[in-house]
Amino acid sequence: MSGDEHEIIRPPNTLKSKVTYGPGGVDLDALEKAEAVIAGLKGSYLEWVQDDLVKLQEVYDRALAGQGDPRDNLREIFRIAHDIKGQGGSFDYHLMTQVGNHLCRFIEAAEELVVTGKSELAVVKVHLDALRLIIAERREGDGGAEGQKMVAGLALVVEKYLKRKKAAEEG
Amino acid sequence: MTGYNLERLNFLVVDDNKHMRALVKTILHALGSKNVLEAADGADAFKELRHFPADIIICDWNMSPLDGLDFVRLVRTGKDSPNPFAAIIMLTGHTEMHRVVEARDAGVHEFLAKPISAKGLYSRIRSIIEKPRPFIRTATYFGPDRRRKEMDYKGRERRKNSAAAASTPAAESSSQETGLTQAELDALFG
């Protein structure tokens, strides 16, 4: 097959024979009940995220002690932060998603520069402290004005790190 | 009120995070699904497909040893794939434009951004039910029609590489750094 040719295939629609439309199906009430079931898992979420925070602290401690490759440590931190980002919002902890995302974006930016370890870990630490505070104080939703102030503060820390790093590399 | 009954559909949930698997499974059960199987990575999931005829696969991206993207490619184009036509929803926190285009070009049907909600997941399932898509085979792609709308198109295949797709207006209007919103994802997939 050359680059310009294409074949259209119509697979059998197996879903059509299995899915019926009618009473007892998924309607607005069913969706609201499903959302309520998720909300009912909030207690479990707080346990899961606590485990993630412990893991994050462990990797941070290992990295600070100079164990392992700095890039590998950052990647492990990224993986845990990515899980935190992906779960918080489902349980009305949108601020966890926001800060988790912020930490992921920082690590992506840092990986493009020379990773020394200590300076990156200082930025990781403020994110870790923020995540822990959100859970400890049960700051649900976007955390209100204080929550957004926290995110703005984290953005400033990252900006300062990137400026210094780039200046050092250019100089 | 009425709606789609999902009771007879087979779902395969693939995620290396057991809490995410539990969350997705809980939502599917709450929506009336009975047959939900779990797998912890792409390799496990591919094994499960040999004996579990999944109608809809919901898979994460970051998994080891076989990640979500490789798994999708294996399902679509693997010589021993049990079901190359299975509907696949990519469920991930990676919503940056280049990632989304990559997933689409691997052959996913739908893209759902984490964190998820019951409404978000159901809307993707409903889209798969209501808009069955033909499959397209080109020299570089096999998967659901990326144009979505059915049309008798005889011209040149334009979307054979991601660079072309990335130059769509939807791509240009979005920030690569912050990731796309679900509405932007819908626009790209629609």
Side-chain angles (χ1 to χ4, degrees):
Chain A
M1 185 174 278
S2 77
D4 285 355
E5 290 174 18
H6 70 277
E7 178 190 356
I8 298 175
I9 302 155
R10 295 185 190 279
N13 187 353
T14 51
L15 298 194
K16 202 175 175 183
S17 61
K18 285 185 159 186
V19 179
T20 54
Y21 187 87
V26 180
D27 58 15
L28 211 55
D29 284 349
L31 283 174
E32 292 300 340
K33 278 180 192 161
E35 297 291 4
V37 170
I38 300 177
L41 289 175
K42 197 177 275 185
S44 302
Y45 164 71
L46 290 170
E47 289 174 15
W48 305 343
V49 77
Q50 204 60 55
D51 289 346
D52 284 338
L53 293 175
V54 168
K55 278 188 223 159
L56 210 48
Q57 182 70 48
E58 284 171 357
V59 183
Y60 171 80
D61 288 343
R62 276 203 307 270
L64 198 65
Q67 295 170 14
D69 178 73
R71 281 184 185 274
D72 288 345
N73 289 333
L74 277 185
R75 277 187 204 117
E76 180 62 10
I77 289 168
F78 179 97
R79 198 189 58 72
I80 302 167
H82 200 255
D83 279 349
I84 290 173
K85 172 199 169 188
Q87 291 176 12
S90 294
F91 304 96
D92 197 29
Y93 276 88
H94 298 282
L95 195 53
M96 288 297 279
T97 288
Q98 213 176 344
V99 175
N101 182 49
H102 203 267
L103 180 51
C104 287
R105 300 288 80 82
F106 159 69
I107 292 173
E108 280 177 347
E111 278 192 320
E112 289 180 8
L113 306 166
V114 178
V115 174
T116 54
K118 297 270 181 195
S119 54
E120 290 80 17
L121 287 175
V123 182
V124 169
K125 179 75 166 61
V126 289
H127 284 82
L128 178 54
D129 289 345
L131 291 166
R132 204 179 276 126
L133 185 75
I134 297 163
I135 293 301
E137 296 189 351
R138 301 289 191 266
R139 292 195 188 174
E140 298 184 6
D142 69 358
E146 274 192 39
Q148 293 316 300
K149 201 172 158 188
M150 174 193 279
V151 174
L154 292 172
L156 283 175
V157 171
V158 171
E159 196 183 326
K160 198 170 170 184
Y161 162 87
L162 290 174
K163 260 186 196 167
R164 273 190 191 170
K165 209 70 184 175
K166 280 174 186 165
E169 285 191 8
E170 283 164 12
Chain B
M1 289 177 77
T2 56
Y4 290 109
N5 189 317
L6 309 181
E7 197 176 343
R8 292 178 59 211
L9 287 184
N10 295 331
F11 288 92
L12 177 61
V13 179
V14 195
D15 201 307
D16 63 346
N17 186 305
K18 63 179 178 183
H19 304 313
M20 270 314 294
R21 292 201 302 272
L23 175 59
V24 175
K25 196 173 178 178
T26 300
I27 295 173
L28 290 171
H29 282 160
L31 296 176
S33 303
K34 305 279 186 206
N35 308 317
V36 184
L37 199 70
E38 296 177 39
D41 72 80
D44 267 357
F46 199 70
K47 273 185 219 156
E48 296 292 355
L49 280 179
R50 293 187 205 285
H51 61 84
F52 183 73
D55 297 300
I56 298 180
I57 300 168
I58 301 168
C59 81
D60 181 32
W61 189 310
N62 278 30
M63 294 178 292
S64 163
L66 192 67
D67 73 18
L69 209 60
D70 286 338
F71 169 67
V72 173
R73 291 188 186 116
L74 199 58
V75 170
R76 292 287 179 248
T77 59
K79 279 182 185 167
D80 54 347
S81 173
N83 186 3
F85 299 114
I88 302 177
I89 300 173
M90 180 65 88
L91 171 62
T92 176
H94 289 301
T95 55
E96 299 79 18
M97 173 57 79
H98 69 283
R99 296 272 201 166
V100 178
V101 169
E102 212 179 341
R104 198 193 62 165
D105 289 349
V108 308
H109 278 76
E110 300 286 337
F111 201 98
L112 182 59
K114 288 180 184 175
I116 60 166
S117 65
K119 285 172 188 162
L121 179 57
Y122 179 65
S123 78
R124 307 272 68 77
I125 295 169
R126 198 179 58 195
S127 178
I128 286 170
I129 294 168
E130 291 179 348
K131 301 169 192 165
R133 280 188 275 164
F135 270 57
I136 304 294
R137 189 190 301 281
T138 71
T140 55
Y141 176 75
F142 176 71
D145 188 350
R146 288 168 289 182
R147 279 186 294 267
R148 260 207 185 166
K149 289 173 192 166
E150 291 196 36
M151 56 181 82
D152 184 19
Y153 183 73
K154 291 189 173 64
R156 186 171 167 269
E157 178 57 55
R158 291 177 188 275
R159 299 192 182 190
K160 61 185 174 184
N161 61 43
S162 51
S167 66
T168 58
E172 286 163 6
S173 66
S174 304
S175 162
Q176 294 212 16
E177 284 185 354
T178 55
L180 306 184
T181 64
Q182 188 63 52
E184 287 169 327
L185 291 171
D186 291 347
L188 183 71
F189 272 73

